[in-house]
Amino acid sequence: MSLLFRRASLASLGLVFGLSALSLSPVMAQEAAPAPADTAAPAAAPVDPNAVVATVNGEKLTEADLGLAEGELSQQFAQLPPEQRRAAALSAAIEIRVMAAQAVTTGLDKDPEFQRRMAFLQQRALHGEMVEKGVVDKVTDAEVRARYDQEIASTPPVNEVHARHILVKTKEEAEAIIKQLDGGADFQKLANEHTSDPSGKTNGGDLGWFGPGQMVPEFDKAAFALDVGRYTKEPVQSQFGWHVIKLEDKRTKQPPAFDDVKDQAKQAVIRDKYFALVKQLRGAAKVEIPDANLKKAVDTMEAGK
């Protein structure tokens, strides 16, 4: 189920649009004080987004502006106690306003490189809005459940085994242990006495449940070939030494419950819808790349999506 359980990153879809280039030294210089113990607080009253929280050179800075600053700069404020984040966000918003105003006064907004960057940032922000409104918000619970069911149905059953082992340094030691087992000796007692595996000295060599490929190949092959209750009649050599293996039980591995992986299933649906939308829009767009080598590289990359 590699497709279902590989977490897709919405950041790669352009949903993270932060002002990471800003240096907010006055804000970041604050040391975080210990957070107070949680206390019951009355429900907060609804916030009017148009309420003015500050004016900067006569221009209003509203609750909506402050909320945007808190959201866009949340990583910078993550280490601050909750009661300081609002003040830090307002301080940063004021700092941004006065610096931006000065940039306009000095004509930096007319700089061609700045204008190109602003055009790109606007396109990136619109890309993020399109992903949010045109993809993420349109995913339904039924689609997520269907994706989970699809992955479960398309995944072949996987057997797993519960085994014990006794690890020794030489083949002769392992053969001697097998002779004792043939004579009726208790496997767990022998494991506690003879195994060189530190974790097996107190639990009878118990390895718990494991699936194919989780052990070294020689061990894996021998363990899965055994019948329940049987032990290897010949020592099994691996890079760790010589093993005597006993199979306690076999079972078919159960798939994860829907509630445990529904977030991953949703991410998979979002990813597929996103790339389907991109393919549709790219197909309808007229894209020309004059450089033949660059075009080939882009086409190869697009084909792999």
Side-chain angles (χ1 to χ4, degrees):
M1 301 181 71
S2 60
L3 189 61
L4 177 56
F5 303 116
R6 188 187 311 130
R7 290 185 177 271
S9 171
L10 289 181
S12 66
L13 305 184
L15 296 185
V16 175
F17 176 58
L19 302 179
S20 58
L22 292 177
S23 174
L24 301 178
S25 54
V27 174
M28 300 308 294
Q30 302 180 53
E31 294 187 5
D38 291 338
T39 55
V47 176
D48 178 3
N50 297 315
V52 176
V53 293
T55 59
V56 181
N57 294 327
E59 294 187 3
K60 296 177 181 178
L61 201 155
T62 66
E63 285 284 0
D65 297 324
L66 183 58
L68 183 61
E70 288 183 283
E72 298 290 355
L73 305 175
S74 58
Q75 289 187 348
Q76 285 90 327
F77 303 146
Q79 300 303 316
L80 294 177
E83 70 275 7
Q84 290 186 15
R85 291 173 193 166
R86 179 174 167 83
L90 180 55
S91 175
I94 293 170
E95 186 175 319
I96 291 169
R97 287 284 183 96
V98 297
M99 293 290 283
Q102 181 62 22
V104 171
T105 299
T106 57
L108 292 179
D109 58 322
K110 302 297 192 297
D111 179 76
E113 179 58 30
F114 171 78
Q115 291 183 344
R116 279 192 292 272
R117 186 154 58 94
M118 282 302 299
F120 174 76
L121 291 176
Q122 182 183 39
Q123 291 167 354
R124 186 180 175 191
L126 288 171
H127 169 273
E129 283 297 300
M130 188 63 196
V131 172
E132 189 71 26
K133 303 297 193 301
V135 178
V136 177
D137 289 352
K138 292 187 176 181
V139 173
T140 66
D141 291 341
E143 288 176 317
V144 176
R145 181 70 202 206
R147 182 52 181 266
Y148 168 83
D149 292 339
Q150 172 190 333
E151 294 292 341
I152 295 299
S154 63
T155 302
V158 175
N159 290 325
E160 56 182 2
V161 297
H162 177 198
R164 297 177 184 273
H165 81 138
I166 302 171
L167 177 64
V168 292
K169 292 182 179 180
T170 68
K171 182 179 181 181
E172 290 72 23
E173 289 177 280
E175 289 174 336
I177 289 170
I178 291 173
K179 285 185 179 180
Q180 292 184 64
L181 291 172
D182 290 342
D186 181 75
F187 191 98
Q188 295 185 45
K189 183 178 179 181
L190 289 178
N192 289 340
E193 292 175 353
H194 298 287
T195 189
S196 60
D197 179 358
S199 64
K201 284 187 172 295
T202 57
N203 65 1
D206 193 359
L207 295 170
W209 290 94
F210 56 90
Q214 290 184 250
M215 299 295 181
V216 292
E218 304 87 352
F219 191 103
D220 190 86
K221 181 179 179 180
F224 277 87
L226 287 169
D227 292 327
V228 174
R230 301 293 184 178
Y231 53 87
T232 51
K233 293 297 184 176
E234 296 291 335
V236 177
Q237 186 179 21
S238 77
Q239 66 195 70
F240 301 104
W242 293 86
H243 306 264
V244 180
I245 307 168
K246 180 183 179 185
L247 188 68
E248 295 287 348
D249 203 357
K250 289 183 178 180
R251 69 184 181 189
T252 300
K253 187 176 182 179
Q254 294 299 306
F258 173 68
D259 286 343
D260 292 337
V261 295
K262 63 182 178 181
D263 289 341
Q264 294 97 305
K266 183 175 182 179
Q267 294 298 324
V269 174
I270 290 171
R271 184 194 60 225
D272 289 349
K273 282 180 171 289
Y274 171 79
F275 284 119
L277 178 59
V278 169
K279 184 176 180 179
Q280 173 192 336
L281 296 176
R282 285 288 298 265
K286 184 179 181 180
V287 179
E288 297 178 355
I289 304 175
D291 185 317
N293 291 330
L294 181 57
K295 182 180 187 305
K296 182 180 179 180
V298 170
D299 289 344
T300 301
M301 184 177 295
E302 293 297 324
K305 291 182 178 179

